[in-house]
Amino acid sequence: MIPPAFEYARPASVDEAVRALADAGEEAKVLAGGQSLLPLLRLRLAFPELVVDVGRIPELRGVREDGEALAIGALTTHHDVIHDPLVRRYAGLLAGATATVADPAVRHRGTLGGSLAHADPAGDLPAVALALDAELVAVGPAGRRTIPAREFFLDYLQSALSPDELLVEVRIPKTEGWGFHYEKFQRVAQAWAIVGVAALVRRADGHIAEARIGLTNMGSTPVRATAAERALAGADGPEAVARAAEAAAEGTRPSQDLSASPEYREHLARVLTRRAVLTAGGMG
Amino acid sequence: MTHIKVNVDGTPYEDEVEPRLLLAHYLRDRLGLTGTPIGCDTSNCGACTVELDGTTVKSCSVLAVQADGSTVTTVQGLAKDGEWTALQHAFHERHGLQCGYCTPGMIMAARDLLRENPHPTSDEVREALEGNLCRCTGYQNIVRAVLAAAGQQDGPGRQDASGRQVGEEVTA
């Protein structure tokens, strides 16, 4: 379909973008790569009065090292994230999971910041950001603030960003040396994950010293499988991992849709957590 | 209305467009370049795939105003002096299409793959084309065409009891 009519602004800087957003109140939408927003507009599920296109703000693009973290510009495309040597070295989970997002053409346009700000619990990267203990940096009229991923995803398609704030950077603590794997189950190629599991594993002396598990599509926001994480600490082999993974769905509230019932999603969370951790821990 | 300048298939254009105009509609309805079809409203099918500043995009998921200042290549810009590219020849020779609706997108996506990976395996071809749907062919001949364009041998494949071609043995 043809999108509804809107006004269009193409700011050249973050300050200009924030001013445009502040002036428009709640009626503006930020356009980055457009791979979530344009389908919503085409299906007439969104009716912004103003679209603020931040796609030409060069300072929002790129990856740099900043002490113990990577700072990834919000406008960095999935394609660039996947191929970035710093991301591959220090945040392999992000590179690996991003390579499973949609398809090559979408990954050329879609951005890391856009997919996090969209806050779709079925999106792959919110759960990955959660597992990586990422921090999201936003700029608004009152200045800059840093939001931990755990506090960023509030509800279905709702983030902690206020309407006049722009997500500018994603900070990811380095996890060099950790094992990682993103395991997702989808009905057909390029479909949304019915459930996805992002696993990070730090091994020591032949057992799992620490595991972090982020779950995709197991509720109205991405969630951490905290019970499974606790149970995985100390696991020393595939059987111990399988036992711990039984706790993966604890505390989740998965939805019912055409693809799956809540019970089926809980089952998937357990199975995929086992697989993801075994692969991440080099035990598979 | 917003003023845009784009170069499409080697021809420069300047236009006043509504911000909501999709690049796919701009190409088809304004420029008359109907070689780029639109197959879905959900970004799934990939039929409208074109190249924007050197990388593939789904032109239904890009606004014309976002292409301002850019270079666009559609399937209609591939042949030079009426001479098809190797990929176009391969789709023709390997029967990589039936109704043809998905073909422009398939060719643009395959072109993108071969640029990054000139000698892909059949699995890599399938992965690269995951954003392009074909409802006729079952993909077998599309994969064969891409491999043939990459200069790979087209193996005999296996046959089932009834003599039908099955399996994936099209890699060199």
Side-chain angles (χ1 to χ4, degrees):
Chain A
M1 263 192 297
I2 294 167
F6 49 78
E7 296 292 316
Y8 175 75
R10 189 197 291 154
S13 68
V14 169
D15 287 349
E16 229 179 272
V18 168
R19 263 199 307 279
L21 290 172
D23 290 347
E26 304 216 336
E27 307 307 326
K29 273 285 192 190
V30 175
L31 174 66
Q35 301 303 289
S36 298
L37 181 58
L38 285 183
L40 285 179
L41 292 172
R42 276 201 321 259
L43 294 170
R44 301 225 169 189
L45 295 172
F47 297 87
E49 285 177 8
L50 173 71
V51 166
V52 179
D53 180 359
V54 299
R56 308 261 174 130
I57 305 180
E59 68 207 71
L60 293 179
R61 250 178 234 281
V63 182
R64 61 188 170 85
E65 257 182 290
D66 188 4
E68 288 309 299
L70 287 185
I72 306 178
L75 202 60
T76 309
T77 63
H78 299 317
H79 182 267
D80 288 350
V81 164
I82 294 165
H83 292 95
D84 187 273
L86 289 172
V87 175
R88 296 174 81 95
R89 176 164 177 192
Y90 294 116
L93 176 63
L94 178 64
T98 303
T100 77
V101 170
D103 58 62
V106 170
R107 294 195 291 268
H108 285 145
R109 294 292 291 175
T111 67
L112 174 61
S115 64
L116 297 179
H118 187 52
D120 189 334
D124 300 299
L125 302 182
V128 170
L130 208 54
L132 285 165
D133 283 334
E135 293 180 321
L136 295 94
V137 181
V139 172
R144 206 173 162 94
R145 69 176 177 129
T146 300
I147 309 161
R150 281 175 188 269
E151 296 167 21
F152 185 79
F153 304 103
L154 301 183
D155 204 346
Y156 182 71
L157 304 187
Q158 277 182 34
S159 77
L161 295 171
S162 58
D164 55 5
E165 276 183 316
L166 182 68
L167 178 61
V168 295
E169 189 174 277
V170 181
R171 298 178 59 83
I172 298 182
K174 292 178 183 172
T175 49
E176 195 181 17
W178 287 57
F180 58 85
H181 186 66
Y182 184 66
E183 180 86 19
K184 75 170 157 183
F185 191 79
Q186 54 198 153
R187 198 175 60 79
V188 292
Q190 66 149 218
W192 295 102
I194 296 176
V195 172
V197 176
L200 269 176
V201 171
R202 185 167 60 80
R203 293 189 71 179
D205 305 327
H207 66 268
I208 291 175
E210 186 182 354
R212 298 198 218 143
I213 312 291
L215 301 177
T216 295
N217 221 358
M218 284 297 289
S220 60
T221 65
V223 287
R224 286 279 287 263
T226 48
E229 289 178 353
R230 274 196 304 274
L232 280 163
D236 55 3
E239 280 154 33
V241 168
R243 275 197 303 278
E246 286 300 305
E250 267 181 37
T252 64
R253 295 187 60 195
S255 63
Q256 160 103 39
D257 61 24
L258 287 174
S259 297
S261 65
E263 294 75 22
Y264 180 54
R265 284 203 159 88
E266 288 170 10
H267 168 75
L268 282 176
R270 291 188 284 267
V271 172
L272 301 180
T273 295
R274 170 168 55 78
R275 290 181 191 166
V277 171
L278 287 175
T279 305
M283 300 166 163
Chain B
M1 295 295 235
T2 303
H3 189 77
I4 62 166
K5 288 185 192 181
V6 280
N7 185 302
V8 183
D9 295 337
T11 305
Y13 297 92
E14 281 195 46
D15 266 305
E16 298 290 327
V17 299
E18 267 193 285
R20 63 170 164 170
L21 183 68
L22 302 174
L23 179 59
H25 289 139
Y26 177 69
L27 294 172
R28 290 176 55 81
D29 303 342
R30 281 288 184 91
L31 306 187
L33 296 173
T34 50
T36 299
I38 299 174
C40 73
D41 241 332
T42 54
S43 307
N44 281 320
C45 83
C48 68
T49 302
V50 300
E51 205 178 275
L52 179 63
D53 291 333
T55 54
T56 50
V57 300
K58 296 183 173 183
S59 62
C60 71
S61 301
V62 178
L63 298 171
V65 290
Q66 288 178 288
D68 181 24
S70 295
T71 298
V72 177
T73 304
T74 77
V75 73
Q76 288 172 264
L78 298 186
K80 294 285 173 262
D81 301 323
E83 186 61 36
W84 285 346
T85 62
L87 201 53
Q88 288 170 305
H89 272 295
F91 269 73
H92 182 224
E93 284 164 8
R94 308 287 159 144
H95 202 76
L97 60 142
Q98 187 171 321
C99 84
Y101 205 86
C102 72
T103 311
M106 287 289 178
I107 287 178
M108 297 311 288
R111 192 166 172 266
D112 191 61
L113 165 71
L114 295 182
R115 206 168 25 219
E116 279 198 7
N117 179 1
H119 302 291
T121 65
S122 68
D123 281 352
E124 287 169 337
V125 172
R126 284 170 189 280
E127 261 191 47
L129 299 180
E130 70 177 329
N132 296 76
L133 301 182
C134 173
R135 298 285 86 139
C136 304
T137 65
Y139 302 97
Q140 302 288 14
N141 286 350
I142 292 173
V143 175
R144 287 192 178 100
V146 177
L147 292 172
Q152 310 228 7
Q153 287 302 306
D154 188 358
R158 284 180 290 128
Q159 293 186 340
D160 64 15
S162 64
R164 246 180 348 158
Q165 200 87 353
V166 296
E168 301 284 336
E169 279 136 78
V170 289
T171 46

